């Protein structure tokens, strides 16, 4: 009875593993599925054969029993080869008729394995076969195997359980119906019992089969976990690509607005200049001579229009330079022209440059700095601070903005801090991405390409430094740029190298 239960447990577990492997193979591409079908078939053949062999060892006739090991091994090969053919036909073609053909071949392989094993089962006695049970066992195996493959191809919630149950019934039903067809009359004295080594052999076979089946299950779990991780990574990549596409679409919308505005100004005032002489002449009375007053008025208008054209042209040039800078940085073609310069002089220059915009925004611009020299690309450092200071003035609605430069160990620390509206935490990482702004284009009165912070981040990295941001909504924002100071050290090293 123990061996019968062991055979049933092995059959149920093996059928469950086979169902999982088969259903997993159906989800793969044809090339990948081929390997999984072979793994399913080998696992199936071993599970079927071991179930049969352990159940045979549980059969105890009153006569001596031996095994023909050649035929016994042949029954194992029949189980594996027949399972391979049936599963491949059903899985690779995935049609109803091929599923029936595969199920029939699978059922016949189970039957052929069983009866080959029975022939290998040598017993001293007269053997009689009940043909009704024999035919019924073969039909039962074919029908239930076909049903199992149909269940395996379904997408329902309980499809795996249904395939497991049907396949286990096919194996167990074939074996016990086939054993009911087997009758033996011993030719020796009664009371004979087979040796206990049969029980030990059954345990060894069961353990070996369980290890092989577990190996197939372990392979399935590992591959399935890897596939799920790949799916997660692909979803993340898809989401990132979607966000990037959306950001670029928003960028194109903003860029078209940013380019259109200065171009409209340039075209408008250029048109005024083109027609200025005609408008001035049209204002004269008949026979009125052109006086110095007219020339002065004409000159004032020309100067005013020219200034507005220049301002719009500078704005347009800034946008184009940002695009070119970002492109060159992306292509790793940025070149740094390192020189030694005073950090305080750079801050004073920027404060003077932005005083007009600060007054326009009703903000107080202050600078604080230590007396020290920086060995870096002055133009690129100025570009970083222009981006940070320009953002603070345009977007923060701050009443006070401070620029600082201080020496922290071997690092030059540049800070731009404001007491403006601040930014939510979820925006603090996004703002350094290209084409991203903390505010959307329709909320930002001053617009912008969304490239300034991305360029600043990459320029800081090119100096082997970094840039970070701290912000609290309603309190303010602070950008911190850390660059390797090394004013004297790098200069000394370069002088040493030159020497």
């Amino acid at each position: 009875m123990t061996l019968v239960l062991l055979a049933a447990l092995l059959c149920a577990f093996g059928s469950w593993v086979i169902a999982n492997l088969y259903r997993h193979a159906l989800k793969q591409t044809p090339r990948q599925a081929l390997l999984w079908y072979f793994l399913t078939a080998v696992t199936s053949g071993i599970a079927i054969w071991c179930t049969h062999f352990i159940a045979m060892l549980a059969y105890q006739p009153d006569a001596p029993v031996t095994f023909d090991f050649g035929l016994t091994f042949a029954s194992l090969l029949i189980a594996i080869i027949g399972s391979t053919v049936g599963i491949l036909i059903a899985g690779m073609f995935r049609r109803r008729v091929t599923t029936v053909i595969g199920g029939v071949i699978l059922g016949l392989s189970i039957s052929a394995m069983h009866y080959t094993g029975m022939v290998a089962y040598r017993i001293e006695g007269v053997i009689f076969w009940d043909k009704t049970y024999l035919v019924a066992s073969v039909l039962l195996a074919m029908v239930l195997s076909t049903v199992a493959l149909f269940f395996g191809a379904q997408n329902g919630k309980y499809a795996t359980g249904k395939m497991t149950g049907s396949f286990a019934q096919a194996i167990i039903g074939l074996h016990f119906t086939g054993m009911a067809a087997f009758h033996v009359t011993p030719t020796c004295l009664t009371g004979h019992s087979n040796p206990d080594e049969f029980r030990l052999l059954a345990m060894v076979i069961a353990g070996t089969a369980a290890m092989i089946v577990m190996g197939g299950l372990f392979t399935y779990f590992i591959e399935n976990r890897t596939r799920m991780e790949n799916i997660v990574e692909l979803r993340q990549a898809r989401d990132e690509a979607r966000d990037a596409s959306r950001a670029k679409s928003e960028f194109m919308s903003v860029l078209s607005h940013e380019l259109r505005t200065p171009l409209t100004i340039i075209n408008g005032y250029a048109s005024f200049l083109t027609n200025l002489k005609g408008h001035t002449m049209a204002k004269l009375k008949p026979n009125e001579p052109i006086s110095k007053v007219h020339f002065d008025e004409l000159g004032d208008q020309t100067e005013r229009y020219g200034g507005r054209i220049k301002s719009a042209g500078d704005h347009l040039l800034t946008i184009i330079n940002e695009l070119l800078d970002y492109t060159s940085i992306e292509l790793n073609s940025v070149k740094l022209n390192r020189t030694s310069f005073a950090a305080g002089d750079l801050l004073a220059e920027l404060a003077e440059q932005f005083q007009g915009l600060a007054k326009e925004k009703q903000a107080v611009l202050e600078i604080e700095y230590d007396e020290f020299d920086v060995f870096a690309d002055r133009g690129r450092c100025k570009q970083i601070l222009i981006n940070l200071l320009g953002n603070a003035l345009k977007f923060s609605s701050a009443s006070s903005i401070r620029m600082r430069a201080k020496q922290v160990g071997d690092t030059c620390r540049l800070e731009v801090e404001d007491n403006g509206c601040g930014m939510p935490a979820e925006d603090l990482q996004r703002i350094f991405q290209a084409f991203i702004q903390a505010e959307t284009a329709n909320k930002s009165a001053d617009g912008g390409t969304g490239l300034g912070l991305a360029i600043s981040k990459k320029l800081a990295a090119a100096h082997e430094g970094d840039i970070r941001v701290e912000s609290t909504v309603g309190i303010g924002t602070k950008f911190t740029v850390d660059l390797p100071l090394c004013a004297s050290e790098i200069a000394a090293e370069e002088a040493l190298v030159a020497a």
Side-chain angles (χ1 to χ4, degrees):
M1 186 63 181
T2 303
L3 293 181
V4 173
L5 290 175
L6 180 62
L9 287 174
L10 180 60
C11 178
F13 177 65
S15 299
W16 179 71
V17 173
I18 292 163
N20 280 283
L21 292 175
Y22 181 72
R23 286 175 54 76
H24 181 71
L26 291 174
K27 299 175 184 177
Q28 308 302 311
T29 60
R31 194 170 186 176
Q32 293 175 330
L34 193 62
L35 178 62
W36 285 100
Y37 288 135
F38 277 117
L39 180 60
T40 305
V42 171
T43 306
S44 173
I46 292 174
I48 293 168
W49 182 83
C50 290
T51 300
H52 160 79
F53 197 83
I54 294 171
M56 287 296 301
L57 292 176
Y59 182 65
Q60 295 287 330
D62 292 332
V65 174
T66 58
F67 288 93
D68 185 318
F69 288 102
L71 288 175
T72 302
F73 182 71
S75 67
L76 173 61
L77 292 180
I78 289 172
I80 295 175
I81 294 171
S83 297
T84 302
V85 175
I87 288 173
L88 281 176
I89 291 176
M92 293 298 288
F93 298 99
R94 304 184 187 185
R95 296 179 181 176
R96 182 169 297 181
V97 63
T98 55
T99 302
V100 173
I101 294 172
V104 169
I105 293 174
L106 187 57
L108 288 174
S109 70
I110 298 174
S111 304
M113 178 278 305
H114 173 79
Y115 289 109
T116 302
M118 293 298 297
V119 173
Y121 188 72
R122 302 299 171 81
I123 183 170
E124 294 186 12
V126 178
I127 298 173
F128 169 73
W129 291 94
D130 188 325
K131 294 181 180 179
T132 302
Y133 280 108
L134 190 149
V135 173
S137 67
V138 175
L139 292 175
L140 189 65
M142 290 191 296
V143 171
L144 290 175
S145 296
T146 303
V147 171
L149 292 178
F150 269 111
F151 281 140
Q154 292 179 352
N155 295 320
K157 183 178 180 181
Y158 302 104
T160 302
K162 292 177 180 178
M163 182 177 179
T164 300
S166 300
F167 199 59
Q169 289 177 27
I171 299 170
I172 296 174
L174 176 279
H175 180 82
F176 287 101
T177 306
M179 292 304 295
F182 180 75
H183 301 281
V184 59
T185 302
T187 57
C188 62
L189 298 175
T190 60
H192 176 81
S193 61
N194 289 305
D196 292 336
E197 284 78 2
F198 279 9
R199 186 181 300 272
L200 178 60
L201 179 61
M203 295 297 181
V204 172
I205 293 173
T208 304
M211 289 178 62
I212 295 173
V213 174
M214 283 294 292
L217 183 63
F218 182 73
T219 304
Y220 160 72
F221 280 138
I222 293 296
E223 201 276 342
N224 193 51
R225 180 172 179 176
T226 304
R227 183 173 63 87
M228 294 305 296
E229 290 175 352
N230 290 337
I231 289 174
V232 171
E233 292 177 358
L234 289 173
R235 285 176 178 170
Q236 291 176 348
R238 179 201 62 192
D239 293 341
E240 291 175 0
R242 184 186 300 160
D243 292 340
S245 177
R246 186 185 303 115
K248 286 185 178 181
S249 297
E250 293 178 359
F251 165 73
M252 293 304 296
S253 174
V254 172
L255 183 62
S256 63
H257 170 74
E258 290 292 309
L259 293 175
R260 190 183 298 115
T261 300
L263 283 174
T264 301
I265 293 173
I266 291 171
N267 288 334
Y269 282 105
S271 177
F272 290 160
L273 287 175
T274 302
N275 300 316
L276 187 57
K277 180 180 178 182
H279 288 315
T280 303
M281 296 295 293
K283 293 179 181 178
L284 296 176
K285 296 178 181 179
N287 301 320
E288 181 183 359
I290 297 177
S291 65
K292 184 177 181 299
V293 175
H294 297 122
F295 278 109
D296 290 342
E297 183 182 347
L298 186 63
D300 291 342
Q301 286 183 324
T302 303
E303 185 178 354
R304 184 166 57 254
Y305 293 164
R308 292 174 182 175
I309 289 174
K310 184 179 184 304
S311 177
D314 290 342
H315 182 199
L316 187 61
L317 184 61
T318 300
I319 295 173
I320 294 173
N321 283 337
E322 283 188 352
L323 291 171
L324 293 176
D325 275 344
Y326 184 77
T327 303
S328 64
I329 292 171
E330 281 289 287
L331 296 174
N332 294 321
S333 61
V334 60
K335 295 180 180 179
L336 301 179
N337 182 22
R338 295 179 187 268
T339 58
S340 182
F341 62 92
D345 292 346
L346 177 61
L347 264 61
E349 180 183 336
L350 287 170
E352 182 179 355
Q353 178 179 338
F354 279 90
Q355 280 299 339
L357 181 59
K359 186 179 293 186
E360 181 184 329
K361 296 290 184 180
Q362 298 181 344
V364 177
L365 181 57
E366 300 177 354
I367 59 173
E368 300 175 6
Y369 57 88
D370 299 334
E371 295 292 343
F372 67 98
D373 289 341
V374 186
F375 191 77
D377 188 322
R378 191 179 190 278
R380 294 301 190 178
C381 291
K382 182 179 179 181
Q383 185 178 358
I384 293 173
L385 290 175
I386 286 175
N387 288 332
L388 299 180
L389 191 57
N391 285 346
L393 286 168
K394 289 190 292 184
F395 302 121
S396 69
S397 303
S399 61
S400 175
I401 299 173
R402 289 177 181 268
M403 281 193 300
R404 302 185 187 93
K406 53 188 176 181
Q407 182 176 348
V408 181
D410 294 333
T411 301
C412 166
R413 177 162 294 174
L414 305 173
E415 295 178 349
V416 177
E417 184 175 8
D418 65 69
N419 63 348
C421 58
M423 290 179 289
E426 58 268 20
D427 284 342
L428 297 185
Q429 292 301 321
R430 295 177 61 251
I431 57 175
F432 291 107
Q433 300 176 17
F435 318 120
I436 297 293
Q437 290 181 313
E439 295 181 337
T440 56
N442 59 351
K443 291 182 180 180
S444 174
D446 293 280
T449 61
L451 292 175
L453 290 178
I455 292 172
S456 299
K457 182 81 169 177
K458 291 183 179 294
L459 289 177
H463 281 86
E464 298 181 0
D466 192 21
I467 181 171
R468 59 186 184 276
V469 60
E470 303 170 22
S471 185
T472 304
V473 175
I475 295 179
T477 304
K478 181 171 75 171
F479 285 90
T480 302
V481 183
D482 286 334
L483 304 176
L485 182 61
C486 304
S488 58
E489 295 178 12
I490 293 182
E493 287 179 7
E494 291 194 349
L496 182 60
V497 170

